[in-house]
Amino acid sequence: MNVFNQVSIWLSFQLTIIFFIGIPVALFFWSIKKRNKAVNKLLTIYWKISLLFFISLLLLIGKYNYALTITNISTILMTTSVWFWTDINDEFKEYDFSYPIITTTKIWRWALTFISLNFFIQSLQNLSCFSFINSAACEIWLHPSSNFYIIIKNLFNFFFGANFTQPVAKYLGLFSLLIYSLGLIQWSILKLPKNGRNSYFSENGRN
């Protein structure tokens, strides 16, 4: 059962790479090429929100106890961000299945939702890992981030000539989490009450 759980978690992380990173990158450049403002705005917001997911990977590398909690929060925020905006949703309703970029974006949103839900359900099977990732039972959640660790370690050594260690990853993750949290709080207090669920994707130059 432990082997099955480990394979399932590994597969979930592989799917997140495809649907959280790969497909959104392709859609983003496609939206630029097609000059589709709605999709472009949606993906721009998505990338800002998804920074928390990459921060959580740093925290997993650094074996921060609440890293899995932050990972789940990030997937929830990412999923919410692609459904939240009423003007973008209304724009999408104007297109039928014959418009490929909109259809692909709609399919991707549903896939992202189901993958995030599956990731959360799998996390619940190791509930103690939400607050103590360093236990032996939670080791299976640390393995998938090892490849990310190798990539960052090599890049860090190439650009700075220094060794990228787990304590460094933890420090960078916590510092980035602080900056991200301050930005999210600022948006919640200043922009959300003013703009509501309107992304203003049709207005050039408006954030």
Side-chain angles (χ1 to χ4, degrees):
M1 187 65 181
N2 185 53
V3 174
F4 175 79
N5 192 28
Q6 187 172 352
V7 171
S8 181
I9 291 171
W10 178 86
L11 182 60
S12 294
F13 270 94
Q14 302 311 306
L15 289 175
T16 60
I17 292 173
I18 296 172
F19 287 93
F20 287 15
I21 302 174
I23 293 178
V25 168
L27 283 173
F28 183 72
F29 285 108
W30 192 4
S31 69
I32 294 175
K33 182 179 179 180
K34 292 295 183 179
R35 297 182 180 179
N36 189 292
K37 293 181 180 180
V39 176
N40 186 268
K41 183 66 175 183
L42 180 69
L43 270 298
T44 299
I45 295 170
Y46 170 82
W47 285 120
K48 292 178 181 179
I49 297 297
S50 67
L51 287 174
L52 185 60
F53 179 74
F54 296 100
I55 292 172
S56 73
L57 291 180
L58 283 175
L59 294 175
L60 281 171
I61 292 172
K63 296 184 178 181
Y64 177 63
N65 275 330
Y66 297 96
L68 186 59
T69 300
I70 296 170
T71 304
N72 276 282
I73 292 174
S74 72
T75 59
I76 292 171
L77 288 177
M78 290 160 69
T79 303
T80 303
S81 72
V82 299
W83 293 100
F84 185 75
W85 312 100
T86 54
D87 56 337
I88 293 177
N89 292 334
D90 290 340
E91 176 74 7
F92 283 3
K93 292 177 183 178
E94 299 295 323
Y95 295 89
D96 55 28
F97 284 100
S98 63
Y99 201 74
I101 187 170
I102 299 296
T103 301
T104 305
T105 303
K106 289 179 179 179
I107 295 172
W108 167 70
R109 290 200 306 182
W110 279 108
L112 182 72
T113 302
F114 286 120
I115 290 172
S116 297
L117 180 61
N118 176 68
F119 192 90
F120 180 69
I121 292 173
Q122 282 193 315
S123 301
L124 292 179
Q125 297 177 17
N126 303 102
L127 199 57
S128 62
C129 300
F130 277 81
S131 58
F132 191 61
I133 198 69
N134 288 294
S135 66
C138 303
E139 191 175 351
I140 55 176
W141 288 100
L142 297 174
H143 285 314
S145 62
S146 59
N147 291 333
F148 185 58
Y149 175 41
I150 294 172
I151 293 172
I152 294 181
K153 185 177 181 179
N154 291 333
L155 289 175
F156 200 81
N157 184 56
F158 177 78
F159 286 108
F160 302 105
N163 190 25
F164 184 78
T165 61
Q166 291 179 335
V168 172
K170 182 178 178 180
Y171 171 79
L172 289 176
L174 290 174
F175 180 76
S176 301
L177 179 62
L178 174 62
I179 301 300
Y180 184 95
S181 300
L182 291 175
L184 187 61
I185 291 171
Q186 182 188 38
W187 176 82
S188 301
I189 295 175
L190 299 179
K191 288 194 174 183
L192 181 59
K194 180 182 177 181
N195 297 339
R197 295 178 60 191
N198 197 330
S199 73
Y200 293 101
F201 75 86
S202 60
E203 297 186 18
N204 293 325
R206 181 159 186 173
N207 297 320

